[in-house]
Amino acid sequence: MKDVPQMYVPTFDDVIAAHDRIRPHIHRTPVLTSSYFNELTGAELFFKCENFQKAGAFKVRGACNAVFGLTEDQSRLGVCTHSSGNHALSLSYAAGRRGIPCNVVMPRTAPQAKKDAVRGYGGVITECEPSTSSREAVFAQVQARTGGEFVHPYNDARVIAGQATCSRELLEQVEELDCVIAPIGGGGMISGTCLTMSALAPGVDVYAAEPLNADDAYRSFKAGRIIADDAPETVADGLKVPLKDLTWHFVSNHVADIFTATEEEIIDAMKLTWKRMKIVMEPSCAVPLATILKNKDVFRGRRVGVIITGGNVDLDTLPWMKG
Amino acid sequence: MKDVPQMYVPTFDDVIAAHDRIRPHIHRTPVLTSSYFNELTGAELFFKCENFQKAGAFKVRGACNAVFGLTEDQSRLGVCTHSSGNHALSLSYAAGRRGIPCNVVMPRTAPQAKKDAVRGYGGVITECEPSTSSREAVFAQVQARTGGEFVHPYNDARVIAGQATCSRELLEQVEELDCVIAPIGGGGMISGTCLTMSALAPGVDVYAAEPLNADDAYRSFKAGRIIADDAPETVADGLKVPLKDLTWHFVSNHVADIFTATEEEIIDAMKLTWKRMKIVMEPSCAVPLATILKNKDVFRGRRVGVIITGGNVDLDTLPWMKG
């Protein structure tokens, strides 16, 4: 037998503990509905608005669970991570509230709004190239230099247990859901959703939505093993990262299906949501709606939870204004 | 004595009747808070989000009250109005739900989003020049041709009673308000707010916020008589119209003060609200926040209701992108 470290898979008890731990630091975000989108899709959609969350994204749930779960001794050198943006600013927010240092590695191409927010919360940014390989290489240097506790953006039991509190709230807010759909990048939100649903509502289907331009989770799901792309290009800046062993565990065991959408479909769905629902949300959040509009037969007549994952977007460079 | 028509001033009984009449056709909109803006202003702000209202604006309250208050006979030839946009689309929405025709006169410079929405609800648009004189002249022709019931955008007891339901909800949603601030154009929302507060919470100060570039209400308030500008230029497209006798009655008798903001201050406050609160709202809605930021001494330490009046904005031409 090889001597490999045992992977700890979080349980629903971890979710309950996480929720108690993070409650003082997060919002219980509202669920919005839209008669326009219900008519357009033939489904009943319930939008869980994590764009209104503290730090502007669901990632603050997992980040707070990790940061406030550290012992005094563990927290002494602070925390560090690599992130496309929202985990970086969420970890900075959490660290700031606990009063410990936070070092983050972010792609130089990350939205300015996200970089500004990290600095606003007191995080220190080291930039890397926009690829997973560069992120991990630069991060190794930062971690060696700072000695901070590594809080992985998604492949971390504490983070997944934190994200799982989002769909726990959703189940309290909406009765008789038939399914839930969320965007998938590294799989943290989807894993948390699977964790909560398998415990509280095993009949609720969990769907994932992914940009066609970064469809490594889709291809992994169909192939039955992790396939990772190093540097995909998509407007959905939060969804470029690959699955890892822990998130793959949840995706391969619990996700009902993964759907993809083109860049144009994502941007159209994003703009339409801004226009009709009057909410500011990131391109990543539009992927679920874009895939619902493409796969109406799957969702028609069903009560569908849709996770709006974040709202940290550069208002000066909206994607429908490019070109 | 001259033979002038007696002006009917709506009472709070009219507000209660309006609320019962329009409830099936409107949303009870949420109240949002922002710790960021509370820290920035030193006040406790409660944002009443009428941008999430049906048809995207508070104006649907007054329009529905007028349309659904018509007798069968009165409704036969439909309704007509002139409007900078939101009243036009709200009246179209209400008329569409009742199944009667709706003719509206709108400035050719009105946001495309508002024109599209009017047509989407089945309203018929006749364009005019962007001045009050042109609006009223073109409207006289349209009304003569169609014979529809005129529902004035603000100088109408039915409309003011409808708008007054907004602050009635706000009082139910937020305890112990000290004051309320709303944008002022023709004065419909402010008059409704005064009507509700004088009946339910006479200790709550009502403030109005106006673009400096269209400060006719401010000058009227200071002069003690209606001063009307014909065609002011401001990014706050909903606030270009002058006070009329009925709204002047409420403004002159009940408003505590009127504050003004420059175009730059309005645009900055609008962008900051989108960025921090993740909501899509019109330039007009940013005027109250812009004036709070300028007059912090007035609001510091107080619980302040802020009416976010609407969210119908052209996403392709956001004001911070011009120039």
Side-chain angles (χ1 to χ4, degrees):
Chain A
M1 260 177 75
K2 274 174 70 183
D3 183 26
V4 289
Q6 188 68 40
M7 177 173 78
Y8 177 72
V9 178
T11 66
F12 194 68
D13 283 345
D14 295 319
V15 180
I16 294 170
H19 218 161
D20 291 341
R21 184 177 291 128
I22 70 180
R23 205 169 270 118
H25 308 291
I26 66 164
H27 287 307
R28 181 183 168 94
T29 54
V31 173
L32 297 184
T33 60
S34 159
S35 51
Y36 173 80
F37 280 123
N38 287 350
E39 278 167 37
L40 194 65
T41 60
E44 275 187 278
L45 307 182
F46 299 90
F47 296 91
K48 175 69 171 163
C49 287
E50 292 287 296
N51 54 329
F52 296 151
Q53 187 51 269
K54 287 281 181 190
F58 77 88
K59 296 262 185 182
V60 81
R61 296 173 182 270
C64 281
N65 190 41
V67 164
F68 287 95
L70 296 175
T71 63
E72 278 303 306
D73 200 48
Q74 285 171 322
S75 74
R76 210 166 17 88
L77 296 175
V79 286
C80 57
T81 196
H82 54 79
S83 158
S84 56
N86 279 336
H87 177 65
L89 65 90
S90 295
L91 197 67
S92 302
Y93 165 86
R97 284 180 79 106
R98 181 144 181 191
I100 61 176
C102 180
N103 282 278
V104 302
V105 172
M106 290 174 79
R108 58 173 172 72
T109 54
Q112 192 60 41
K114 294 183 178 177
K115 294 182 190 170
D116 291 346
V118 168
R119 295 193 179 104
Y121 291 127
V124 177
I125 299 173
T126 304
E127 292 196 350
C128 65
E129 290 307 302
S131 69
T132 298
S133 50
S134 171
R135 271 167 71 147
E136 295 182 349
V138 174
F139 175 73
Q141 298 167 10
V142 169
Q143 190 184 21
R145 195 182 70 234
T146 65
E149 169 78 11
F150 179 26
V151 181
H152 192 282
Y154 51 91
N155 202 52
D156 183 305
R158 302 165 295 183
V159 169
I160 290 172
Q163 320 306 33
T165 61
C166 176
S167 40
R168 188 186 188 212
E169 286 177 12
L170 178 63
L171 285 175
E172 292 166 1
Q173 292 166 305
V174 182
E175 289 179 356
E176 298 185 11
L177 275 182
D178 294 306
C179 54
V180 174
I181 185 165
I184 189 161
M189 167 52 76
I190 282 289
S191 295
T193 307
C194 292
L195 174 51
T196 291
M197 292 307 166
S198 61
L200 296 183
V204 172
D205 290 328
V206 177
Y207 297 106
E210 194 173 34
L212 186 63
N213 277 14
D215 67 344
D216 51 287
Y218 172 82
R219 286 180 287 128
S220 302
F221 186 73
K222 297 301 178 189
R225 63 184 167 80
I226 296 178
I227 298 171
D229 294 333
D230 194 46
E233 262 300 326
T234 170
V235 66
D237 58 274
L239 306 180
K240 296 177 178 177
V241 289
L243 296 170
K244 296 278 184 182
D245 55 355
L246 191 50
T247 54
W248 172 244
H249 168 81
F250 287 100
V251 169
S252 58
N253 282 303
H254 195 99
V255 164
D257 210 345
I258 300 183
F259 303 109
T260 60
T262 66
E263 298 295 288
E264 191 183 351
E265 290 162 346
I266 295 167
I267 294 169
D268 285 351
M270 177 182 174
K271 189 178 179 188
L272 194 59
T273 309
W274 285 45
K275 181 175 175 180
R276 300 302 306 220
M277 294 187 62
K278 321 294 183 191
I279 60 174
V280 169
M281 64 174 201
E282 298 181 36
S284 302
C285 315
V287 187
L289 183 64
T291 65
I292 292 171
L293 289 169
K294 280 179 83 169
N295 299 278
K296 288 187 183 173
D297 287 349
V298 176
F299 298 96
R300 187 173 292 119
R302 302 175 79 188
R303 291 166 66 83
V304 185
V306 182
I307 315 284
I308 303 286
T309 44
N312 296 315
V313 63
D314 279 349
L315 293 172
D316 292 314
T317 56
L318 296 169
W320 54 81
M321 294 184 170
K322 282 175 186 162
Chain B
M1 258 177 72
K2 272 175 71 180
D3 183 25
V4 289
Q6 188 68 38
M7 176 172 78
Y8 176 72
V9 178
T11 67
F12 193 66
D13 283 343
D14 295 319
V15 180
I16 295 170
H19 218 161
D20 291 340
R21 183 177 292 128
I22 70 179
R23 205 170 271 117
H25 309 290
I26 65 163
H27 286 309
R28 182 183 168 93
T29 55
V31 173
L32 298 184
T33 59
S34 159
S35 50
Y36 173 79
F37 281 123
N38 287 350
E39 278 168 37
L40 194 64
T41 60
E44 275 187 277
L45 306 183
F46 300 90
F47 296 90
K48 175 69 171 163
C49 287
E50 292 288 296
N51 54 329
F52 295 151
Q53 187 51 270
K54 287 282 181 189
F58 78 87
K59 296 262 184 180
V60 80
R61 297 174 182 269
C64 282
N65 189 41
V67 164
F68 287 94
L70 296 176
T71 64
E72 278 303 306
D73 200 48
Q74 285 172 321
S75 75
R76 213 165 16 87
L77 296 175
V79 285
C80 57
T81 197
H82 54 78
S83 158
S84 56
N86 279 336
H87 177 65
L89 64 91
S90 296
L91 197 66
S92 302
Y93 165 86
R97 283 181 79 106
R98 181 144 181 191
I100 60 176
C102 180
N103 282 278
V104 302
V105 172
M106 291 174 78
R108 58 173 173 71
T109 54
Q112 192 60 41
K114 294 183 178 176
K115 294 181 191 171
D116 292 346
V118 167
R119 295 192 180 104
Y121 291 128
V124 177
I125 299 174
T126 304
E127 292 195 351
C128 65
E129 291 307 302
S131 69
T132 297
S133 50
S134 171
R135 271 167 71 146
E136 295 183 347
V138 174
F139 175 72
Q141 298 166 9
V142 169
Q143 190 184 21
R145 194 182 72 234
T146 65
E149 169 79 10
F150 179 27
V151 181
H152 192 281
Y154 51 91
N155 202 51
D156 183 307
R158 302 165 295 183
V159 169
I160 290 172
Q163 320 305 33
T165 61
C166 176
S167 41
R168 189 186 186 211
E169 286 177 13
L170 178 64
L171 285 176
E172 291 167 1
Q173 293 167 306
V174 183
E175 289 178 357
E176 296 185 12
L177 275 182
D178 294 307
C179 54
V180 175
I181 184 165
I184 190 162
M189 167 52 75
I190 283 290
S191 294
T193 306
C194 292
L195 174 51
T196 291
M197 292 307 167
S198 60
L200 296 183
V204 171
D205 290 328
V206 177
Y207 296 106
E210 194 173 35
L212 187 63
N213 277 14
D215 67 344
D216 49 287
Y218 172 83
R219 286 179 287 128
S220 302
F221 186 73
K222 297 300 177 190
R225 62 182 170 83
I226 296 179
I227 298 173
D229 293 333
D230 193 47
E233 263 302 323
T234 169
V235 67
D237 58 273
L239 306 180
K240 295 177 179 179
V241 288
L243 296 171
K244 296 277 184 182
D245 55 356
L246 192 50
T247 53
W248 173 244
H249 167 81
F250 286 101
V251 169
S252 57
N253 282 303
H254 195 100
V255 164
D257 209 346
I258 300 183
F259 303 109
T260 61
T262 66
E263 298 296 288
E264 191 183 351
E265 289 162 347
I266 295 167
I267 294 169
D268 285 352
M270 176 182 175
K271 189 177 180 188
L272 195 59
T273 309
W274 285 45
K275 182 175 175 180
R276 300 303 303 221
M277 293 187 63
K278 320 293 183 192
I279 60 175
V280 170
M281 64 174 202
E282 302 184 29
S284 302
C285 315
V287 186
L289 183 64
T291 64
I292 292 171
L293 290 168
K294 280 179 84 169
N295 298 278
K296 289 186 184 174
D297 287 350
V298 175
F299 298 96
R300 187 173 291 119
R302 302 175 79 187
R303 292 166 66 84
V304 185
V306 182
I307 315 283
I308 303 286
T309 45
N312 297 314
V313 65
D314 279 348
L315 293 172
D316 292 313
T317 56
L318 296 169
W320 53 81
M321 294 185 171
K322 283 176 187 162

